[in-house]
Amino acid sequence: MSVTLSATLAANEDIERRRRAGERVLHLAFGEAGLPVHPALRDKLVAASDRNGYGPVAGAAELREAAAGYWTRRGLATDPELVVCGPGSKSLLYGLLLAIGGDIVLPMPSWVSYAAQADLVGSRPILVPAPSGEGGAPDPDRVVSAVLHARSQGRVVRSLLVTLPDNPTGRLASPQTIRRLVEVARELDLVIISDEIYRDLLHDPAPPYVSPADLAPERTVVTTGLSKSLALGGWRIGVARLPDGAHDLRRSLLAVASEIWSAPAAPVQDAAAYAFTEPVELVERITQSRRLHSTVSRAVYDRFVEAGASVPMPQGGFYLYPDLGYLGIADITRVLLEEHGIGVLPGHAFGDDPSCSRVRVATSLLYGETTEERLAALTSTDPLLLPWIAESLDHLTMGLKELSVARREPVRRRRKALVPTPCHG
């Protein structure tokens, strides 16, 4: 088996290496929340630092109860006994693939680790494009044909995955798409894994949010964590809500967990239990974060649109997915990085068509280099006016402008000879 470093982590390390060497690089390649830890969470972690026992594999009772309350407040009644905790939702997703078994249907494009984890456990991912204008959910009608075709070849397909809202596109699948996917999952007897780690970072609460678990709680696993909403990526904590009555799946997942991570770190569980009760100060912090993510990602969206890119308007999180195919550049990410100091990820890292020139842009590392700068961005009434954010946006504007000017004449000369491959999705 050939295993390579995650594309996002590899890009992050490369950009940090270039920065240490003195290069000016705008870091738009890594999906870290980019904000400081709330003091109340630091206090909880310190207070629990003497808790050094392993604890239950499923996670501490307090954390499971708090997570159950989190989902119940969102209209999804949850039994704490069907909550399993792990060192990040990424680990839980890996454990679920092992526990469920079989092949999995993934949206295309989708987060880099989904397909990579499937490969690691011997599952062959089936990539199905999202409906036009959406992201994070495979087109339901195409799922039917893809699964039936795979099964006709003797493959065992047992699950499909959605991300609400999505990484890499920043889009939210429509309620209609989710309802149809649930119907398809029932028809094909598929377990639905719904990765909802960005749920609390929807920019505008007005669009209706429908989780597959709202419609099919008996066959939907929901995962979430605190790495995005509260910027606790380095603390590694996640929770999964298993389907109603899924005690066999729980036993299988706990068996996997017992052999891989034993139990999440006890002090982190204590702080996470507090966070999932949603005290006022943390709700306010998430509200501030959501506002900042929305403001900056839309400012970056405007820069790409002005440069001529086709970009879906982001609806949640801190990602955009612009199409730079109009430039006619084959290796667009290399050119952006090496010639214009702009680090992004190529769409093919997310399972997209390698012939297309879509890139994943993460905006959350623009908030500042220090805790003081990031707090200022978080509390500012107009973070775009802060010097370090304004400078980064100017760097992006100039880089895209220089790229367009430098490529316009060669593209014009080649236009008659080129037969571009259309990119759909």
Side-chain angles (χ1 to χ4, degrees), residues 295 377 379-386 389:
T295 300
T379 57
S380 174
T381 57
D382 193 349
L384 304 183
L385 296 180
L386 294 172
I389 294 181

Side-chain angles (χ1 to χ4, degrees), residues 292 296 366-368 373 377 383-394:
L292 177 61
V296 175
L366 301 182
Y367 306 151
E373 287 181 348
L384 304 183
L385 296 180
L386 294 172
W388 55 94
I389 294 181
E391 181 182 351
S392 293
L393 293 173
D394 287 345

